[in-house]
Amino acid sequence: MINWDKLTEHLEQRGFTARRFASAQEAADYLNSAIDGVSVGFGGSMTVQEMGLYPKLSTHNNTVWHWNKDGLDQAAATDVYICSANGLAETGEIVNIDGVGNRVASTIYGHKRVYFVVGKNKIAPDFDQALWRARNIAAPKNCQRLNLKTPCAAKADRCYNCNSPERSCRVLVVLWEKPRDVETMEVILIDEELGY
Ligand code: SF4
């Protein structure tokens, strides 16, 4: 059972702005109104894709999608950056694992505003369990989706801590607090399961 009030309180204590929504639709409507007339980079994220944020925001912003050609470099230079988290602790730590590193780099430096869009399935009671889910749930499922030659990809049941050439887990970033030079960092909490 998620303690939303505690989670919100812990995020705010760490300098993040927490906003709660009952549905992905309500969260998407909020983001669509809050982000207008600026450049927006999107980190590779199933959550963001499922919410249809890229087409929505593209009608009134200058958008760059991470998975498009040249998207990686261009998305690093936008005003706003949107991605999800692989794990979010109720104690407020945000956990992300990356292969290239562009997505996690963009969550800590180079953008005025950063939004983490987080479904309830990403939330764990404490840091250790948020890290565990990032490594054993999010990462293997991403490997399976990408059809990588890693031991986790067949069943996506857990991390095997591999050293495969195609290993996608090469960088771990934990946000303890909002990085100093990012003006605002919002965590969009959604009471629905989104992404993995
Ligand atoms: S370290 Fe290897 S086995 Fe573990 S999730 Fe990453 S790619 Fe899969």
Side-chain angles (χ1 to χ4, degrees):
M1 187 77 169
I2 297 166
N3 187 333
W4 294 100
D5 289 338
K6 276 280 169 221
L7 171 57
T8 301
E9 190 184 321
H10 287 141
L11 286 169
E12 299 276 348
Q13 281 169 357
R14 292 172 183 273
F16 306 114
T17 302
R19 297 188 194 278
R20 278 173 61 185
F21 297 92
S23 69
Q25 181 63 54
E26 287 173 40
D29 290 345
Y30 163 70
L31 290 166
N32 201 29
S33 63
I35 302 169
D36 180 46
V38 292
S39 55
V40 188
F42 291 83
S45 159
M46 292 306 292
T47 298
V48 168
Q49 191 169 41
E50 284 168 23
M51 289 172 68
L53 289 175
Y54 179 70
K56 262 189 185 51
L57 293 176
S58 293
T59 61
H60 55 103
N61 291 279
N62 182 12
T63 52
V64 185
W65 180 248
H66 162 109
W67 286 327
N68 285 354
K69 190 176 176 295
D70 301 329
L72 262 59
D73 292 340
Q74 291 168 8
T78 53
D79 299 321
V80 172
Y81 196 74
I82 303 177
C83 66
S84 187
N86 295 138
L88 171 62
E90 276 184 41
T91 42
E93 298 94 338
I94 302 169
V95 179
N96 268 311
I97 291 172
D98 209 348
V100 174
N102 64 299
R103 181 173 60 99
V104 293
S106 275
T107 66
I108 56 181
Y109 189 78
H111 304 274
K112 293 191 187 108
R113 277 192 275 161
V114 175
Y115 294 87
F116 291 96
V117 187
V118 183
K120 66 179 179 182
N121 49 316
K122 306 286 187 73
I123 299 167
D126 57 27
F127 170 69
D128 285 345
Q129 291 175 79
L131 177 60
W132 185 91
R133 96 156 304 279
R135 297 196 69 185
N136 289 283
I137 298 175
K141 286 190 172 176
N142 274 313
C143 289
Q144 188 174 58
R145 173 177 61 83
L146 296 167
N147 206 16
L148 299 182
K149 293 185 189 66
T150 59
C152 60
K155 291 191 280 181
D157 55 340
R158 67 180 173 90
C159 171
Y160 292 78
N161 198 23
C162 72
N163 60 357
S164 319
E166 294 196 10
R167 173 176 167 138
S168 65
C169 311
R170 292 169 185 262
V171 183
L172 169 69
V173 164
V174 179
L175 281 99
W176 283 323
E177 302 213 340
K178 180 182 78 64
R180 207 168 284 153
D181 286 353
V182 180
E183 288 172 15
T184 59
M185 198 166 250
E186 294 193 17
V187 183
I188 307 298
L189 303 167
I190 303 171
D191 196 4
E192 278 181 9
E193 299 212 350
L194 288 159
Y196 38 76

